[in-house]
Amino acid sequence: MPLTTQATPTTYWLEHAWLGSHVEPGVTLETADGRITAVRTGAATPPPGATVLRGLTLPGLANAHSHAFHRALRGTVQVGSGTFWTWREIMYSVADRLTPDSYFALARAVYAEMALAGITCVGEFHYLHHAPGGTRYDDPNAMGQALIAAAADAGIRLTLLDTAYLSSGFGAPPDRHQLRFSDGTAEGWAQRADALKEDREHVRIGAAIHSVRAVPAGQLGTVADWARERQAPLHVHLSEQTAENDACREAHGRTPTQLLADHGALGRRTTAVHATHLTDQDIALLGGSTTGVCMCPTTERDLADGIGPAARVQGAGSPLSLGSDSHAVIDLLEEARAMELDERLRTRTRGHWTAAALLRAATADGHAALGWGDAGTLETGALADLTTIALDSVRTAGPLPRLAAETAVFAASAADVRHTIVGGRQIVRDGVHTLVPDVPAALAESIAAVRG
């Protein structure tokens, strides 16, 4: 049964709740029509008829950057060595084999895995638009519609970041793998993207510039304007590799960040993904325009990309969000922990972010980056999207309950997620997905179907 809002009023009793700044014991939370209608503290015991959520309940986690089909690469790309660019060739081989039906099955399983990890909303950076060779499906958005249907069946919210991907590099035509990504021109991309509608409660439509490599400079403004006119999120891969920076300077005499700024692509609705290799001027441009930055530490270290200057861009004015990107693992708690620990390794100092700040990146700021400003907090009026983390597992047992936020960020993992609630409806109950009966089997079957 696909995602629908829980219309029936429901009362939840939270043994411990993270209320944005602190952990509060004994919280009663009431929901109706998919939203939180009341939050009451001081409830030492569950009221009659309440659904009991033992552990630490947080707002649902927002995975701000996903490529669902990359999940099929887990394990495979760990054989031997190589670079980002050799990894990309393996990724293309999986992309070549996907159809709307096989992509639906794979994404449904991946989004169900996300629900089990406490993720209630995902931003899907979607560029796999057409059939191999670039042939259009009868429905030009068949692949995007498959993702929308997959998220509904898995019970989570989706921001479909429909991606313009037009070039193999600074004006060069797409290679044979990339033909199915391309709409020819940004105007062609916009025409196809116009047909996507926010006609289901779990979905919102945004835009993405794959990278300054993949969208010619003269067409960046078309994508930015499309998003601006619709007040939609705009995401972009930015300076993930030093090779991108070098090629951009050679082609345009400026950095990718400067190029985006020159074409009106930065701003408060824009999120730069990775932002690993930035100059001081780049950081000032991102922060000064309040452009968000999405860090994906597990992918960035898996691909040996480097450690992005997350603390500096946030200090300059950029809100931070988190993503699992290539899904080397799907664990937003690990992404939050890794951002702090990577910064410790780089600087050899501790305490760059509090647990509360890291949780905000994984919740409220992640949802805002995806266009869901009404989610990510446990407050009256917010969407009733919650996740509960066990405090009695081998990883989390022992610390005082008042330290539950620190325990969640620095010790817990996705395996400790006990419950996930979306729109007031329980999607994961006691660690079991209520809509996809056997998530491991769904993953194994859907990945086998696209394996070479």
Side-chain angles (χ1 to χ4, degrees):
M1 182 178 178
L3 173 64
T4 55
T5 291
Q6 178 78 326
T8 306
T10 303
T11 299
Y12 292 99
W13 181 78
L14 319 181
E15 184 181 28
H16 303 281
W18 182 68
L19 298 184
S21 60
H22 68 285
V23 174
E24 182 76 22
V27 174
T28 298
L29 189 147
E30 296 178 5
T31 71
D33 297 322
R35 292 189 179 269
I36 299 170
T37 56
V39 179
R40 297 186 175 89
T41 59
T45 59
T51 298
V52 174
L53 303 180
R54 295 203 177 275
L56 174 67
T57 296
L58 314 168
L61 305 177
N63 187 352
H65 190 66
S66 164
H67 302 290
F69 74 92
H70 290 191
R71 175 62 178 82
L73 302 174
R74 189 182 294 178
T76 301
V77 291
Q78 306 302 337
V79 178
S81 58
T83 67
F84 169 87
W85 307 103
T86 56
W87 170 89
R88 192 174 71 159
E89 291 304 310
I90 300 172
M91 178 269 289
Y92 283 159
S93 70
V94 173
D96 287 344
R97 290 188 286 274
L98 285 163
T99 68
D101 287 345
S102 63
Y103 205 9
F104 164 78
L106 176 59
R108 175 178 177 267
V110 174
Y111 295 155
E113 181 181 358
M114 290 185 192
L116 289 171
I119 293 163
T120 56
C121 184
V122 59
E124 185 62 37
F125 199 101
H126 168 57
Y127 54 82
L128 192 54
H129 301 306
H130 308 298
T135 302
R136 272 48 175 173
Y137 292 107
D138 290 342
D139 174 0
N141 286 305
M143 295 295 270
Q145 295 295 351
L147 293 167
I148 290 170
D153 273 23
I156 68 172
R157 303 186 194 277
L158 170 75
T159 297
L160 186 70
L161 297 161
D162 195 277
T163 304
Y165 193 139
L166 310 172
S167 168
S168 62
F170 296 99
D175 68 22
R176 64 183 182 87
H177 300 292
Q178 297 162 344
L179 287 171
R180 70 181 307 188
F181 308 160
S182 177
D183 293 293
T185 64
E187 290 76 12
W189 166 85
Q191 183 177 17
R192 180 187 51 73
D194 277 340
L196 290 163
K197 305 299 180 186
E198 295 180 355
D199 55 359
R200 300 177 70 176
E201 62 181 326
H202 77 291
V203 66
R204 293 185 180 169
I205 305 299
I209 294 164
H210 178 273
S211 57
V212 296
R213 301 191 316 273
V215 177
Q219 300 183 58
L220 293 170
T222 300
V223 185
D225 289 346
W226 187 95
R228 187 176 301 109
E229 289 165 5
R230 290 157 183 77
Q231 297 188 332
L234 173 66
H235 288 216
V236 54
H237 290 136
L238 179 65
S239 292
E240 183 178 3
Q241 295 286 323
T242 55
E244 175 186 304
N245 290 354
D246 295 342
C248 188
R249 286 191 181 95
E250 183 176 348
H252 299 292
R254 65 204 73 183
T255 67
T257 302
Q258 292 171 318
L259 189 65
L260 290 170
D262 291 346
H263 290 275
L266 302 184
R268 66 183 181 88
R269 289 192 182 87
T270 300
T271 297
V273 181
H274 302 304
T276 306
H277 303 285
L278 302 178
T279 66
D280 291 346
Q281 183 180 6
D282 292 340
I283 291 171
L285 285 169
L286 293 171
S289 60
T290 64
T291 297
V293 172
C294 178
M295 305 302 295
C296 306
T298 64
T299 290
E300 289 149 7
R301 66 193 185 194
D302 183 59
L303 296 179
D305 287 341
I307 300 171
R312 292 184 63 202
V313 294
Q314 186 176 48
S318 293
L320 297 178
S321 55
L322 298 165
S324 63
D325 190 6
S326 68
H327 313 314
V329 297
I330 294 178
D331 188 338
L332 262 286
L333 299 174
E334 173 62 23
E335 303 297 343
R337 174 165 56 246
M339 189 164 70
E340 166 67 22
L341 298 186
D342 285 355
E343 192 71 11
R344 292 181 186 185
L345 284 175
R346 192 212 336 243
T347 62
R348 291 183 290 174
T349 60
R350 304 176 77 221
H352 301 276
W353 292 276
T354 63
L358 294 168
L359 287 175
R360 278 194 296 275
T363 57
D365 289 347
H367 282 96
L370 297 177
W372 297 85
D374 51 352
T377 61
L378 301 184
E379 298 177 354
T380 300
L383 290 169
D385 296 355
L386 323 170
T387 185
T388 302
I389 297 168
L391 296 178
D392 57 359
S393 76
V394 293
R395 287 165 293 277
T396 60
L400 295 170
R402 64 181 174 82
L403 300 176
E406 286 77 9
T407 302
V409 171
F410 291 105
S413 76
D416 297 310
V417 171
R418 183 172 281 165
H419 310 294
T420 304
I421 293 165
V422 183
R425 180 184 179 196
Q426 200 150 5
I427 303 301
V428 174
R429 182 181 293 114
D430 295 320
V432 177
H433 203 292
T434 63
L435 304 178
V436 181
D438 189 341
V439 177
L443 286 163
E445 291 167 11
S446 60
I447 290 170
V450 297
R451 184 181 294 129

